[in-house]
Amino acid sequence: MLLAIDTATRTAGIALYDQDGLHLEQMWRTGNNHTVELMPCIVRACDQQSLAPQALRAIAVSLGPGSFTGLRVGLSVAKGLALALDIPLLGVPTLDATAYAHCRELLPVCAVLQAGRQRLCVAFYQTISGKWARRGNYELMTPEELVASLKQPSLVCGEIDCRLAKALRITTPEQGIVADPALSMRRAGYLAEIAWKRFISDECDDPTSLAPIYLQRG
C-alpha cells in the first residue's frame, strides 16, 4: 500500500493506493494547521483500513510549489515515515497532480495554485503526439498575467477563487475555460496514482536530498 501526503496549500489530503486502485482518500480545507491535523488523519486512515504501518510499501508526497510551512510539514512527515519504515519515497510536483485529472483533455490545461499576496503558481500541460506532459516551467504570476498568457482556448483548473474566475470569464471567455469547482479540486488520489506508476517502475527519490519546489520572482 502506498500512502500519499499533500499539504502543499490550504487544500490538504491523504490517500491510500495499491495495485487494486484507490482504497481511501481524504481532502480538507485547513487554516494552515497542517502540523496538528496531518498525523491524526494518517492514523485514522490506517485504522479505518486495518492497515499496520509495516504494511506500507511506499510514501508519496506533494513537492510544491505551495505554502512554505505546509510543504515543510508534509515533506518532514513523509521523510520520517519512509526512513523509519525503510520504504521508497516519491515526490510529485503539486501542479502535476492538479492537472492530472484532465490528462485526457484535448485542450491545453492550465493548472493554478494560490500563492498568496495576489500571486498564482501556474503551469501548462498538453497531450502532444499521444504524450501528456508539462509544457514550459512552473511560473509565478499575477491574475492579470495569467489572463494575458492565455493565447488559445485552455482549460483552467485548480485553486480558482471568485475573483480569478470572474476575470477569466469576462476577459477571456473563449480562451479561459474554467473547470467546475469539483473538477478543479486537487485530489490526493491523483497524487497517489502518479506516484504508484513511478513506484511499480522501480523509481524512488533520495530522502536526504528531496526538496520542496518554491517559486520566487526574479
Side-chain angles (χ1 to χ4, degrees):
M1 190 75 73
L2 176 146
L3 168 66
I5 297 170
D6 184 353
T7 57
T9 69
R10 290 187 178 183
T11 298
I14 61 170
L16 292 169
Y17 195 104
D18 69 4
Q19 66 275 3
D20 294 321
L22 187 63
H23 288 251
L24 178 144
E25 182 180 44
Q26 295 179 359
M27 288 90 66
W28 66 96
R29 295 285 182 92
T30 176
N32 291 328
N33 294 320
H34 305 89
T35 303
V36 298
E37 294 172 350
L38 179 58
M39 279 307 301
C41 283
I42 292 174
V43 171
R44 284 196 300 271
C46 290
D47 286 346
Q48 184 178 338
Q49 296 297 307
S50 300
L51 185 70
Q54 292 74 20
L56 293 175
R57 298 173 58 195
I59 305 293
V61 63
S62 186
L63 290 179
S67 155
F68 178 80
T69 302
L71 289 173
R72 288 186 62 186
V73 170
L75 203 55
S76 295
V77 170
K79 286 185 176 185
L81 289 171
L83 290 169
L85 298 170
D86 193 24
I87 56 177
L89 176 66
L90 302 112
V92 176
T94 310
L95 284 165
D96 291 8
T98 303
Y100 184 80
H102 308 284
C103 63
R104 289 183 172 81
E105 173 62 54
L106 297 178
L107 294 175
V109 173
C110 173
V112 177
L113 298 175
Q114 295 290 332
R117 292 185 290 177
Q118 302 298 315
R119 300 172 304 167
L120 305 167
C121 302
V122 178
F124 289 86
Y125 300 79
Q126 191 172 9
T127 298
I128 297 178
S129 300
K131 184 177 181 181
W132 166 262
R134 175 168 51 89
R135 310 295 171 182
N137 298 321
Y138 304 115
E139 298 185 61
L140 199 60
M141 297 183 179
T142 64
E144 292 75 20
E145 289 169 338
L146 171 60
V147 169
S149 73
L150 298 174
K151 304 300 184 183
Q152 60 180 317
S154 302
L155 180 69
V156 185
C157 65
E159 296 181 347
I160 304 170
D161 60 19
C162 294
R163 177 172 174 264
L164 178 57
K166 183 178 180 180
L168 288 167
R169 289 178 175 129
I170 292 176
T171 311
T172 59
E174 296 182 358
Q175 286 88 356
I177 302 166
V178 181
D180 292 336
L183 288 172
S184 274
M185 187 171 189
R186 186 177 76 255
R187 291 179 50 187
Y190 291 132
L191 169 68
E193 189 160 291
I194 294 170
W196 182 260
K197 291 178 180 179
R198 291 188 60 202
F199 173 67
I200 61 176
S201 297
D202 293 324
E203 296 181 31
C204 67
D205 295 308
D206 182 354
T208 60
S209 60
L210 188 64
I213 299 169
Y214 294 122
L215 297 182
Q216 293 183 344
R217 283 284 196 178

